[in-house]
């Protein structure tokens, strides 16, 4: 089986590493990739948002399976075009990808499926913004306002703040740009990222993970695309995990089938474990980054065969995935000024060490690896437990040099020290 992976981040680097272990995968290609993925697969330059270009490349490399990593091509319908060309594709249709592409659509689906989530209100005009803000946030008893861009925002369109002026400024800026705003009630409690491979009504859950969205230690600073993650979650009881699968993901998958847009691919549920039980923060239509790097580091089942089963309607025959014992921790090394406009073009020393996955990297004509984006590298450590996995990841980070770079030092620390409780 020849597999074409679409994307350029550390998520796609992790997918390639896992696919390479599958004995039935005989060839790997990636587009557009990065400096790290070039060592694992044939690399091609392609506009990932162009269905025509992706289909042409899939035919050129004789792909038996196309795996689409980023959300943008999925929301634009690239998976539909690949399937229409007669090639198996792991990724939802344009209609099903609205579960991430439109937060308002996701709320409609959850309401119809009877799934617990935050109360919300969509604001599409500045004239009603102040009144809407008054119905949310601290005046209503919540500890913070939650303001979201209704459309895709690369993980950085959310502001959670106890400062009304900050909330209003973010919402007003979105409205001025023509983006509807979603105001939500605040969901308290530890968060969980749950990946599920889905084929219509069939749901195969993977290991739960937890990611870290804010840029600084102790969850300080603005939201980012993700600064680290770990798996599994030693503090998460098995019955709560089962509740998330049986009472959240499966009903949503069934509702999408009922609406005529069955989901095929990776359905990502971002959840908060509240005092009343798990509630949905968001749904994504693809593997999350950086959680993928931690989860796939522990997968023993053949990934290519798992994804191909979902893409060809045979997921129900695959069975439960197998996992190695222990834990995995991912720490993201970010460029100077990220999540603002990042500094790029600097040489990275140590970028080819074991456990280093590339994201915002490129190789110069002289052979040097340089930074080319905000989240530059993901460093993955594994071990018998979270303490050992943290030590492995941070040990590698100490050997990497990138001017002005930064990373969080507390990824998985609270869980390793037993400080997370339900």
């Amino acid at each position: 089986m020849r597999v074409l992976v679409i994307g350029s981040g550390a998520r796609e680097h992790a997918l390639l590493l896992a696919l390479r272990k599958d004995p039935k995968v005989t060839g790997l290609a990636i587009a557009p990739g990065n400096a790290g993925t070039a060592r694992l697969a044939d690399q091609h330059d392609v506009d990932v948002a162009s269905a025509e270009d992706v289909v042409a490349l899939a035919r050129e490399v004789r792909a038996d399976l196309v795996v689409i990593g980023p959300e943008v091509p999925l929301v634009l319908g690239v998976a539909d075009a690949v399937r229409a060309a007669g090639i198996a594709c792991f990724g939802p249709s344009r209609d099903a990808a609205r579960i991430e592409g439109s937060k308002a659509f996701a709320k409609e689906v959850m309401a119809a499926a009877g799934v617990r989530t935050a109360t919300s209100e969509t604001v599409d005009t500045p004239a009603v913004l102040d009144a809407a803000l008054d119905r949310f946030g601290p005046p209503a008893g919540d500890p913070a306002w939650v303001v979201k861009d209704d459309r895709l925002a690369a993980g950085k369109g959310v502001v959670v703040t106890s400062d009304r002026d900050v909330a209003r400024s973010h919402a007003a800026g979105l409205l001025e740009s023509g983006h509807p705003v979603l105001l939500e009630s605040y969901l308290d409690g530890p968060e969980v990222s749950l990946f599920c491979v889905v084929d219509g009504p069939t749901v195969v859950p993977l290991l739960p993970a937890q990611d870290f969205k804010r840029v600084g230690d102790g969850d300080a600073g603005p939201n980012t695309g993700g600064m680290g993650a770990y798996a599994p979650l030693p503090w998460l009881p098995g019955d709560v995990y089962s509740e998330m699968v049986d009472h959240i993901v499966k009903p949503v998958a069934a509702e999408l089938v009922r609406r005529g847009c069955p989901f095929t691919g990776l359905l990502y549920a971002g959840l908060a474990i509240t005092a009343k039980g798990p509630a949905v923060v968001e749904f994504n239509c693809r593997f999350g980054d950086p959680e993928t790097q931690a989860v796939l580091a522990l997968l023993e089942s053949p990934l290519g065969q798992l994804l191909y089963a979902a893409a060809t309607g045979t997921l129900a025959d695959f069975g439960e995935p197998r996992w190695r014992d222990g834990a995995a921790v991912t720490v993201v090394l970010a460029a100077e000024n990220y999540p603002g406009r990042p500094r790029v073009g600097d040489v990275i020393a140590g970028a080819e060490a074991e456990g280093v996955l590339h994201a915002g990297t490129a190789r110069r004509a002289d052979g040097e690896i340089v930074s080319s984006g905000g989240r530059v590298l993901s460093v993955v450590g594994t071990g018998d437990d979270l303490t050992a996995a943290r030590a492995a990841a941070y040990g590698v980070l100490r050997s990497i040099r990138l001017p002005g770079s930064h990373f969080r030092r507390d990824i998985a620390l609270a869980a390793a020290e037993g400080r997370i409780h339900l």
Side-chain angles (χ1 to χ4, degrees):
M1 172 169 53
R2 290 186 56 82
V3 182
L4 168 63
V5 175
I6 300 298
S8 61
R11 165 184 51 212
E12 287 75 32
H13 195 159
L15 286 165
L16 289 177
L17 286 172
L19 287 165
R20 191 173 63 165
K21 298 175 184 176
D22 188 329
K24 289 195 175 181
V25 173
T26 57
L28 286 172
I30 187 167
N34 56 50
T37 60
R39 297 190 300 167
L40 302 173
D42 297 330
Q43 199 136 301
H44 303 265
D45 188 21
V46 74
D47 178 2
V48 300
S50 168
E52 182 180 350
D53 290 357
V54 172
V55 169
L57 178 60
R59 286 172 170 157
E60 177 187 332
V61 302
R62 296 175 289 109
D64 301 296
L65 173 66
V66 175
V67 179
I68 300 178
E71 62 272 25
V72 170
L74 293 169
V75 170
L76 293 176
V78 172
D80 302 84
V82 172
R83 278 191 281 270
I87 303 169
C89 184
F90 185 81
S93 67
R94 180 203 301 263
D95 282 347
R98 287 182 295 163
I99 199 75
E100 178 172 0
S102 168
K103 293 177 178 64
F105 174 77
K107 290 292 186 182
E108 292 174 13
V109 170
M110 285 185 274
V115 168
R116 185 187 296 115
T117 185
T119 57
S120 65
E121 180 176 340
T122 300
V123 178
D124 57 10
T125 174
V128 300
L129 176 58
D130 285 310
L133 284 169
D134 288 342
R135 290 190 286 273
F136 289 85
D142 284 339
W145 279 276
V146 180
V147 183
K148 296 183 176 182
D149 189 338
D150 184 55
R151 298 188 288 182
L152 295 179
K156 293 179 282 186
V158 180
V159 163
V160 181
T161 178
S162 58
D163 187 326
R164 190 182 191 281
D165 290 340
V166 172
R168 192 186 189 287
S169 176
H170 181 63
L174 293 172
L175 291 170
E176 288 172 8
S177 301
H179 292 209
V181 170
L182 193 75
L183 300 181
E184 285 189 344
S185 59
Y186 180 76
L187 293 175
D188 201 5
E191 293 194 5
V192 176
S193 297
L194 179 61
F195 292 175
C196 292
V197 178
V198 176
D199 165 19
T202 304
V203 173
V204 175
L206 306 184
L207 285 181
Q210 186 178 67
D211 77 331
F212 295 74
K213 286 295 186 188
R214 293 189 182 270
V215 71
D217 288 355
D219 290 332
N223 272 350
T224 71
M227 294 299 293
Y230 67 95
L233 309 182
W235 49 267
L236 184 70
D239 61 335
V240 177
Y241 173 75
S242 298
E243 182 180 356
M244 294 188 299
V245 176
D246 295 337
H247 299 292
I248 292 178
V249 180
K250 288 183 178 179
V252 165
E255 175 62 19
L256 291 173
V257 171
R258 191 191 69 78
R259 289 172 176 246
C261 52
F263 193 98
T264 297
L266 196 291
L267 187 56
Y268 168 133
L271 305 145
I273 312 302
T274 72
K276 296 180 179 179
V280 176
V281 175
E282 65 177 351
F283 273 106
N284 290 339
C285 64
R286 37 71 192 187
F287 278 104
D289 183 338
E291 299 97 320
T292 298
Q293 293 88 293
V295 171
L296 292 187
L298 300 173
L299 181 67
E300 288 193 338
S301 293
L303 180 64
Q305 294 171 55
L306 172 62
L307 304 188
Y308 188 78
T312 56
T314 60
L315 182 61
D317 301 327
F318 187 85
E320 293 185 6
R322 301 186 310 276
W323 304 95
R324 61 178 284 188
D325 293 333
V329 171
T330 300
V331 184
V332 171
L333 181 76
E336 182 178 346
N337 199 44
Y338 179 80
R341 185 174 181 177
R343 169 176 164 174
V344 298
D346 290 307
V347 173
I348 310 166
E352 297 183 280
E354 185 74 20
V356 177
L357 307 186
H358 289 228
T361 66
R363 192 176 291 274
R364 284 193 325 208
D366 62 2
E368 294 281 9
I369 295 175
V370 298
S371 58
S372 63
R375 291 188 296 170
V376 181
L377 303 172
S378 285
V379 178
V380 182
T382 58
D384 291 339
D385 55 24
L386 286 174
T387 298
R390 275 176 45 80
Y394 284 105
V396 172
L397 269 168
R398 285 194 291 271
S399 68
I400 299 172
R401 296 290 181 270
L402 173 63
S405 63
H406 59 96
F407 58 89
R408 283 186 60 159
R409 290 168 170 77
D410 62 347
I411 304 300
L413 180 60
E417 294 179 346
R419 291 190 280 114
I420 300 180
H421 306 285
L422 297 185

